[in-house]
Amino acid sequence: MAPRKKTAAGATPANKAASDDTMTDGPREIGERDRVTLQKITDLAFSALAEVRRGKNPALSIPVRALSNVSFDQEAGLIRLGESRQSRNFFHLKQAKLFMQTFLIAEHCKKLIEAGATTSIRDIYYGAKHSVAGTKENTFEEQAESDPIIEDLEVTIDALREELHLRAENRGAMVGPMTIRDTGDTIDLRRMGSGGWSIPSIVEDNRIEFMKTEAEYILFIEKGAVWARLNEDRFWQKNNCMLLHGSGMAARGTRRLLRRMHEELKLPLYVLTDNDPWGFYIYSVIKQGSINLAYESMRMAVPQARFLGLMSSDAERFNLQANVSMALKDEDSARIEQLMRYDWFAAKRWQEELALMKKTQKKYELEALSSRGIRFITEEYIPQKLRGKRGDSWLD
Amino acid sequence: MTTEALIQDPEALKPAGRRASAEAMGAKQRDISVSEFFTKNRHLLGFDNPAKALLTTIKEAVDNALDACEEAGILPTLDVTVEEVSDGRYRVRVEDNGPGIVKEQIPKIFAKLLYGSKFHRLRQSRGQQGIGISAAGMYGHLTTGRPVVVVSKIGKGRPAWRVEVRIDSRTNEPKQLNDKNDTVTWEKDHGTSVEIELMGLYRGGRTSVDAYLEQTVVANPHLELSYKPPKGPLVHFPRVSDLLPPEAQEIKPHPHGVELGMLIKILHESGRRHVAQTLMEEFSRVTQPVADELCKRAGIDPNAVAARVDAAKIEALHAAMVASNAALPPIKKFASKVARSDGNLREEVLEEGTGFSPTLADLVIRRGGLEPTVKAKLVTPMMVEKLYASLHDSQVKILPPPANCIVPVGEALVMEGLRRRFKGEFFTSHTRPPAVYRGNPFVVEAGVAFGGTLSRDDSADVLRFANRVPLLYQPRACAIHEAVLKVDWKSYGLQQRKGELPVGPLAIFVHLASVWVPFTSEAKEAVAHYDEVVREIRLALMECGRKLGAWVKAQQAERWETQRKSLFEKYIVELAASIHSITKVSEESVKKDFTDALPNHVRIAIAPVEGAAPGVDAGGEPAPGEGAAEAAAGPVEAEAEAPEPKASRPSERPPDMGDDGDGEPFYKDMTPGNSRQLVLKVRSKSGRK
Ligand SMILES: Nc1ncnc2c1ncn2[C@@H]1O[C@H](COP(=O)(O)OP(=O)(O)O)[C@@H](O)[C@H]1O
Ligand SMILES: [Mg+2]
């Protein structure tokens, strides 16, 4: 990575190398990691060219990212990607455009790597978007089209997103008794005010270094609003923990950060989500990985993570009144059915929880705990959960 | 019973003898001339309402012109002008390039009913439609007081006579109003022009003059027609075939097909001949025993002078002649109909039977010991049986007419005719071999015009013809219409709802040629539903449909291939730029490599016509010569749908795709509808903060 240049005020902290002067700095040393990635991209293009020169239908072989091609590794507690691959051909009515788009993205990534720049997946969407010569059609109509192409490229050439010099928007935040170095800047996470430190999409150790910490565990909270409540109470200070939220589903950066903290700092991870199938699933993604990004489970999952709730059985345990519950919607019920069939929800306690939710037809938001008092969650709920027994007070 | 009374006053159908004696009435009837008869019964000639009167007038004149030209071996060139001279008053002029008419004949032809050359023989083309041009002239005079104006010239250097003539309806004799030696200068070598003024009604639509002329043009590709309608510009239909239709072999009329008017005329004009002799000489397949038997049934002395036979007896004779062509439905079906009927017995027989005239119905009913006016409900099954026996008894065995006299338009000319009328993209036609219904030979031919400027959103245009004459009225009652509905047009790539006409840019032509066309009624507006006839029409239409379907498919395949090619071509440009940028291989050379490989992978794949969209067939087939293993590894359609192949259950897809830890929307390249739903789900999760 090129040395950090100060960017204009207001630029996102992690947006380190995208400024124009990087490109004009003269011949740039290309690191070993970048060289490997560049080679993979060039190989992909040459092999397509070789195929078409023999009159064949050039194909990309893309690992299949779907339920049918993942398996749950019970021992490691991880979702793993299977061996199935699918062929993406150019001379195919439905695949021609996807094929072209894949190379368009590859071309842009190659340029980024050569320039030593990193860009967001939104930037690359705009960068690669133009009208197809002689038509009104665009190479990409919306970012929703380019994002999966990026994932396809990642798995096809076996390169991580950051190796392609791509990142997503920052998402989620962290506070807690720890000091880190973020691309050269020292940041004290004890002094992040009410908003916390915004978690970037790339958190590899060449960018984010952990320095000093007194934290004893990590508490991940699904929702920013509940996190803000805890931060206001300085829960992390009283309890010596790192406090994170993911703004809903934890993004790759957040998941990778949780994994690194768990692994490098040996901190246990606790997860607090809403009591609904979506909350349960957020927990499972942090713990075992996801279907779509199964190829990244190895670097992102935290199989030892623990679930602090909300559980369906908590309603009784904490004496939550019926009027703070919400009725399940059809899509909730359908999602419960699906979860019950996933291997990584096969454990008896999870099946019981899901069955109970189904039976009561009720779900609870974390905020429902506030019905018991504003500090109930920090002073009663979490401490009690942490003290309690596995399978009873918390699940894994 | 008088003919007149029969038609005008159903009360008169009460058993004879209750009112005036037959003799008394018969005496009166002798005084009625044909022209008086038809004046009072103009509906018999097609003048029952102003719109129909206008159409019939034009039809008679055009039919005559075409007949005359064809008989003289001249390619017809016609000018038709219809002018509204004042409100509801029209001047019709039809001019032809035919052989012309000799001066002496003109007044009689145009102002004497039942005067002509065609009644004495039967040709399978026009001229059977009515009493003819003189009736039109008479109607015109009756409604406007104006005579018929004729100009005719029979050869180069000969004078063009101008004749103004009207009929004296009391005597059925012509009255020329202008100087007998009036001539005009006419640049034409020969031809005839007829001008008639009449009260009428010009309107558009299915039964309009325009529709009639347009359809005449379809059935007569050798006709050149200029038509100046009352409103709008002159329409010109150039000739599309220089071939005159082969002259239909002339045969005498067959008793099955004779119309009452024709029979009256034949007998009236038989000079001093006896009835039996006249029948034998004027009709085909009538031998002495047949003639005697017919006379016996009509209560006529075979040796009576034919011209003196009274109208009632002529009607009876007519009934006897057509009886052997009449039929009732199977007895069980008919009996149950009768039992549930609200009408009288005559109405039931006319409705359920085929080939009955009211007279014949009454005759058969009476012979079965019943009254035509009795409530059908009251008729017991045993009496119904007697009715059948009576019909059987009434039927004189007459040999069917010979088959060699039927001349269809011909496949090539049907197509030419359609081409001239419709600016379509595809035309086809099919002529069936001769078939027979109830002993009558007939030939069906069908044609279709498709695409082009034909309306895409309307029902198909069905053109019906019987012996080259367009049928404009009563489509729903017609066997041709029924047969069109019975064809499954969907299998030929058209839209069709059950029991309805197909929808699409389609015109359907059906021509039924026969010595005796089975019309549903005397009005000759619709073809009767004989199974054999419907079946032949269906088969002819299906043959056309098959050819049409194949063409539609080929068109689609062609269109798809171009679409596919251009799809690949446009992406090759993009792809070449990217590959060039990655590999530094020149863009032109990359483009060439891909373009060269393109033909190996684009094939015309004929997809099912219905519902199939481009791209349903698998693209990306392995290039020729590739191994089977590679072929098997070719793209699987389902997987082509999205980077992620389908989950085990479709319902699992959204969440499976939505578990991306990046929190970016999870859409993949699913259909927009699906992806929106997905994004929504994810948002609803994160949107709760
Ligand atoms: N335009 C015409 N050119 C030559 N001959 C004609 C023309 N119109 C009528 N005729 C002759 O006059 C005859 C009588 O015509 P019409 O009264 O219409 O009876 P039909 O056509 O049934 O014989 C025809 O048979 C034909 O010989
Ligand atoms: Mg005529």
Side-chain angles (χ1 to χ4, degrees):
Chain A
M1 283 293 139
R4 177 162 195 257
K5 304 252 175 203
K6 267 268 176 237
T7 50
T12 51
N15 188 2
K16 113 180 209 331
S19 47
D20 284 346
D21 46 355
T22 317
M23 325 280 279
T24 52
D25 266 357
R28 199 182 59 91
E29 270 303 305
I30 292 179
E32 181 53 26
R33 213 169 156 191
D34 284 346
R35 216 189 311 280
V36 170
T37 313
L38 284 176
Q39 191 59 49
K40 284 174 176 173
I41 292 174
T42 323
D43 287 351
L44 194 70
F46 271 116
S47 87
L49 209 48
E51 276 182 286
V52 83
R53 279 176 181 162
R54 280 183 291 139
K56 286 196 180 183
N57 193 350
L60 297 169
S61 171
I62 306 173
V64 170
R65 289 172 292 123
L67 184 60
S68 61
N69 192 38
V70 297
S71 57
F72 181 52
D73 180 340
Q74 204 82 43
E75 214 155 296
L78 292 178
I79 294 172
R80 290 189 193 278
L81 191 63
E83 294 297 307
S84 308
R85 286 176 164 257
Q86 69 183 105
S87 189
R88 173 173 297 168
N89 292 72
F90 179 67
F91 292 115
H92 185 290
L93 287 177
K94 290 193 171 174
Q95 299 176 0
K97 186 167 190 181
L98 295 171
F99 189 96
M100 177 276 283
Q101 288 173 329
T102 313
F103 277 98
L104 193 54
I105 292 293
E107 174 197 353
H108 275 76
C109 289
K110 180 170 182 261
K111 284 179 177 161
L112 282 173
I113 297 168
E114 283 168 348
T118 302
T119 187
S120 77
I121 54 178
R122 185 146 190 85
D123 281 334
I124 201 169
Y125 157 66
Y126 280 115
K129 177 176 185 159
H130 56 259
S131 57
V132 174
T135 71
K136 285 200 183 96
E137 179 186 346
N138 286 314
T139 49
F140 294 99
E141 296 300 343
E142 46 183 2
Q143 194 185 340
E145 260 181 85
S146 62
D147 287 355
I149 295 284
I150 294 168
E151 284 167 3
D152 291 342
L153 185 64
E154 288 172 39
V155 288
T156 303
I157 64 173
D158 189 23
L160 297 172
R161 181 169 288 189
E162 50 270 25
E163 289 172 341
L164 294 173
H165 285 220
L166 295 176
R167 55 180 162 69
E169 297 300 310
N170 285 11
R171 187 152 153 186
M174 176 160 82
V175 286
M178 177 157 76
T179 307
I180 58 168
R181 275 184 79 83
D182 176 354
T183 53
D185 293 339
T186 304
I187 294 170
D188 184 352
L189 297 178
R190 299 164 193 87
R191 300 159 158 272
M192 297 309 299
S194 62
W197 174 69
S198 146
I199 304 170
S201 135
I202 302 176
V203 295
E204 294 310 309
D205 55 9
N206 58 347
R207 291 175 165 246
I208 308 292
E209 275 173 74
F210 305 134
M211 317 245 324
K212 208 165 73 79
T213 182
E214 300 92 55
E216 288 163 16
Y217 65 93
I218 310 162
L219 180 61
F220 173 87
I221 296 168
E222 175 187 347
K223 298 162 100 173
V226 178
W227 177 90
R229 176 88 277 285
L230 268 65
N231 188 26
E232 197 179 300
D233 282 1
R234 300 193 66 86
F235 179 90
W236 51 270
Q237 195 167 40
K238 290 173 200 154
N239 293 276
N240 260 344
C241 68
M242 298 308 296
L243 196 60
L244 290 85
H245 77 86
S247 277
M249 174 61 79
R252 278 201 222 194
T254 308
R255 288 173 56 197
R256 177 68 183 143
L257 188 68
L258 289 172
R259 165 70 178 244
R260 281 193 59 211
M261 288 197 294
H262 171 77
E263 202 169 55
E264 295 168 26
L265 307 174
K266 308 278 180 266
L267 299 179
L269 168 61
Y270 301 99
V271 177
L272 194 57
T273 72
D274 283 348
N275 173 253
D276 61 28
W278 316 95
F280 287 7
Y281 196 67
I282 288 173
Y283 165 70
S284 87
V285 167
I286 289 172
K287 187 179 174 78
Q288 292 111 347
S290 71
I291 297 166
N292 195 36
L293 298 182
Y295 58 98
E296 297 251 61
S297 299
M298 291 285 286
R299 339 185 295 119
M300 299 209 283
V302 183
Q304 290 78 25
R306 290 170 179 184
F307 182 68
L308 287 196
L310 283 178
M311 297 188 256
S312 292
S313 46
D314 287 337
E316 201 179 323
R317 192 172 295 119
F318 292 97
N319 204 6
L320 298 179
Q321 299 302 306
N323 59 6
V324 297
S325 71
M326 287 157 65
L328 287 189
K329 296 197 179 113
D330 287 351
E331 53 175 17
D332 296 326
S333 301
R335 190 64 178 133
I336 291 172
E337 297 292 332
Q338 283 168 354
L339 294 192
M340 288 180 93
R341 285 193 296 265
Y342 288 154
D343 287 345
W344 50 101
F345 277 99
K348 186 162 159 276
R349 274 300 282 123
W350 278 108
Q351 292 287 320
E352 284 169 5
E353 278 297 318
L354 288 163
L356 185 59
M357 193 186 295
K358 204 168 104 179
K359 186 168 156 248
T360 58
Q361 287 290 307
K362 281 186 189 135
K363 58 181 182 180
Y364 297 87
E365 292 191 286
L366 279 171
E367 287 90 331
L369 295 169
S370 308
S371 65
R372 297 288 315 276
I374 192 75
R375 300 221 151 74
F376 181 77
I377 185 166
T378 52
E379 286 167 13
E380 305 255 350
Y381 180 87
I382 297 174
Q384 198 177 322
K385 281 271 174 178
L386 286 173
R387 264 182 274 120
K389 275 197 308 204
R390 170 172 181 266
D392 183 11
S393 178
W394 51 268
L395 301 179
D396 66 0
Chain B
M1 277 290 114
T2 67
T3 311
E4 197 177 349
L6 178 79
I7 291 146
Q8 293 195 327
D9 181 15
E11 278 299 299
L13 288 167
K14 282 177 183 159
R18 280 193 202 166
R19 289 185 162 193
S21 75
E23 286 78 7
M25 291 175 77
K28 258 192 245 164
Q29 192 198 14
R30 286 295 187 97
D31 297 325
I32 300 171
S33 81
V34 242
S35 44
E36 272 179 307
F37 171 77
F38 284 118
T39 305
K40 289 190 177 171
N41 297 289
R42 52 179 81 149
H43 60 278
L44 285 184
L45 307 179
F47 294 94
D48 35 345
N49 65 59
K52 216 167 169 185
L54 182 64
L55 176 64
T56 305
T57 302
I58 291 165
K59 212 162 128 61
E60 289 297 342
V62 168
D63 285 355
N64 279 351
L66 287 175
D67 280 346
C69 287
E70 275 167 31
E71 201 177 334
I74 298 165
L75 284 169
T77 303
L78 267 58
D79 280 301
V80 176
T81 312
V82 182
E83 228 181 307
E84 184 167 14
V85 284
S86 64
D87 206 22
R89 188 175 176 132
Y90 291 85
R91 187 181 300 139
V92 172
R93 209 173 67 86
V94 176
E95 180 180 323
D96 63 50
N97 61 340
I101 304 166
V102 293
K103 187 186 170 193
E104 301 69 45
Q105 295 290 347
I106 296 174
K108 284 185 183 154
I109 284 174
F110 293 96
K112 183 176 169 65
L113 291 182
L114 305 180
Y115 191 92
S117 56
K118 285 174 266 168
F119 266 8
H120 302 281
R121 56 172 197 208
L122 187 57
R123 281 198 353 178
Q124 169 251 297
S125 55
R126 308 166 196 90
Q128 305 169 47
Q129 285 293 308
I131 300 303
I133 194 68
S134 43
M138 187 176 85
Y139 175 84
H141 182 247
L142 220 62
T143 53
T144 68
R146 304 287 294 233
V148 182
V149 180
V150 183
V151 175
S152 192
K153 181 172 166 182
I154 60 169
K156 212 178 167 134
R158 309 289 295 264
W161 301 106
R162 185 171 178 285
V163 178
E164 286 184 29
V165 66
R166 70 169 184 85
I167 196 166
D168 179 343
S169 64
R170 288 191 51 80
T171 57
N172 189 25
E173 284 302 327
K175 246 197 174 137
Q176 183 161 358
L177 304 180
N178 64 337
D179 189 302
K180 293 222 158 73
N181 290 318
D182 261 8
T183 59
V184 292
T185 42
W186 218 21
E187 65 284 6
K188 264 198 173 117
D189 284 350
H190 49 81
T192 304
S193 145
V194 188
E195 195 177 290
I196 294 172
E197 221 169 288
L198 72 155
M199 293 307 284
L201 176 64
Y202 174 84
R203 58 177 182 207
R206 192 168 47 72
T207 57
S208 63
V209 172
D210 296 20
Y212 163 75
L213 288 175
E214 279 165 5
Q215 295 190 20
T216 301
V217 153
V218 175
N220 298 279
H222 60 293
L223 160 67
E224 179 180 350
L225 174 71
S226 297
Y227 167 46
K228 174 71 187 74
K231 293 162 198 156
L234 185 111
V235 199
H236 182 75
F237 297 95
R239 198 186 320 284
V240 289
S241 163
D242 286 340
L243 286 177
L244 272 169
E247 212 174 339
Q249 204 177 320
E250 194 181 312
I251 60 156
K252 288 176 182 166
H254 188 276
H256 283 177
V258 73
E259 292 163 317
L260 181 55
M262 191 194 277
L263 184 64
I264 294 171
K265 179 174 169 173
I266 287 171
L267 295 181
H268 264 260
E269 295 180 349
S270 60
R272 314 179 66 92
R273 287 179 293 173
H274 297 164
V275 178
Q277 187 193 359
T278 308
L279 291 178
M280 282 157 64
E281 285 172 9
E282 300 297 331
F283 289 94
S284 69
R285 305 298 203 205
V286 178
T287 56
Q288 183 75 56
V290 169
D292 288 349
E293 191 62 31
L294 288 171
C295 287
K296 199 175 130 202
R297 311 229 168 192
I300 299 173
D301 175 1
N303 293 320
V305 175
R308 298 239 183 93
V309 176
D310 69 49
K313 290 220 166 100
I314 296 178
E315 272 191 66
L317 180 62
H318 179 250
M321 289 168 80
V322 299
S324 57
N325 210 41
L328 286 170
I331 190 156
K332 265 210 178 120
K333 186 179 161 203
F334 183 68
S336 83
K337 271 267 174 188
V338 162
R340 280 181 282 118
S341 159
D342 282 330
N344 65 30
L345 194 53
R346 181 197 298 131
E347 286 160 4
E348 274 314 299
V349 170
L350 287 176
E351 191 151 312
E352 298 299 317
T354 44
F356 280 94
S357 66
T359 324
L360 177 60
D362 288 1
L363 209 88
V364 170
I365 293 168
R366 291 219 172 86
R367 285 213 185 110
L370 288 157
E371 271 310 307
T373 49
V374 74
K375 266 198 179 320
K377 255 199 271 259
L378 306 176
V379 178
T380 66
M382 244 179 54
M383 286 149 106
V384 170
E385 264 178 55
K386 281 176 95 179
L387 193 67
Y388 274 76
S390 153
L391 173 63
H392 186 78
D393 287 345
S394 310
Q395 293 177 326
V396 179
K397 285 253 169 302
I398 310 174
L399 279 179
N404 61 3
C405 49
I406 303 168
V407 183
V409 176
E411 289 181 353
L413 290 183
V414 167
M415 268 157 76
E416 287 308 316
L418 285 169
R419 271 206 186 92
R420 179 158 57 157
R421 169 70 181 80
F422 300 104
K423 303 262 165 298
E425 290 164 87
F426 175 77
F427 298 88
T428 188
S429 64
H430 181 68
T431 301
R432 297 279 308 158
V436 175
Y437 78 92
R438 291 186 63 79
N440 300 299
F442 69 99
V443 169
V444 166
E445 46 195 347
V448 299
F450 183 83
T453 58
L454 277 96
S455 161
R456 256 143 234 284
D457 306 322
D458 292 335
S459 296
D461 205 351
V462 181
L463 314 183
R464 301 174 292 136
F465 298 87
N467 287 347
R468 281 177 189 247
V469 177
L471 306 180
L472 301 181
Y473 289 93
Q474 301 251 25
R476 268 160 219 292
C478 186
I480 293 176
H481 189 84
E482 181 196 331
V484 172
L485 298 187
K486 273 190 174 165
V487 170
D488 179 13
W489 294 94
K490 277 196 285 201
S491 61
Y492 310 128
L494 288 153
Q495 293 177 310
Q496 182 185 25
R497 278 209 252 143
K498 213 176 153 54
E500 288 182 23
L501 288 175
V503 172
L506 178 71
I508 299 169
F509 167 101
V510 176
H511 178 213
L512 176 68
S514 177
V515 170
W516 167 226
V517 174
F519 287 109
T520 52
S521 71
E522 298 278 298
K524 296 193 164 186
E525 291 167 342
V527 175
H529 298 244
Y530 283 99
D531 286 349
E532 299 90 332
V533 173
V534 174
R535 182 174 168 272
E536 282 297 312
I537 300 172
R538 258 191 84 221
L539 290 174
L541 286 171
M542 281 162 66
E543 183 58 32
C544 292
R546 267 191 290 277
K547 290 186 217 159
L548 172 64
W551 182 83
V552 167
K553 281 175 200 173
Q555 286 287 302
Q556 271 173 3
E558 203 173 292
R559 223 172 13 242
W560 292 353
E561 195 206 15
T562 6
Q563 268 174 17
R564 288 174 66 151
K565 253 186 90 177
S566 68
L567 174 127
F568 291 126
E569 276 162 358
K570 73 184 175 191
Y571 292 145
I572 283 175
V573 176
E574 293 297 327
L575 188 58
S578 291
I579 292 189
H580 155 72
S581 164
I582 296 171
T583 62
K584 303 290 174 245
V585 175
S586 98
E587 205 169 320
E588 276 315 305
S589 126
V590 176
K591 215 184 284 180
K592 187 177 179 307
D593 289 337
F594 274 84
T595 312
D596 287 351
L598 180 56
N600 293 347
H601 303 284
V602 177
R603 307 244 172 88
I604 298 181
I606 296 182
V609 177
E610 247 196 335
V616 175
D617 53 307
E621 296 117 324
E626 281 186 29
E630 253 171 311
V636 178
E637 199 56 40
E639 295 191 348
E641 294 276 326
E644 300 190 337
K646 54 184 172 218
S648 48
R649 272 174 305 272
S651 61
E652 283 199 1
R653 276 190 89 120
D656 283 345
M657 307 182 82
D659 66 7
D660 181 328
D662 262 329
E664 305 292 339
F666 319 99
Y667 35 73
K668 308 304 161 203
D669 41 349
M670 301 174 65
T671 60
N674 272 350
S675 66
R676 222 163 280 132
Q677 196 187 340
L678 287 181
V679 173
L680 260 178
K681 271 196 178 147
V682 174
R683 293 266 153 80
S684 77
K685 178 63 195 161
S686 39
R688 293 181 311 176
K689 260 135 264 137

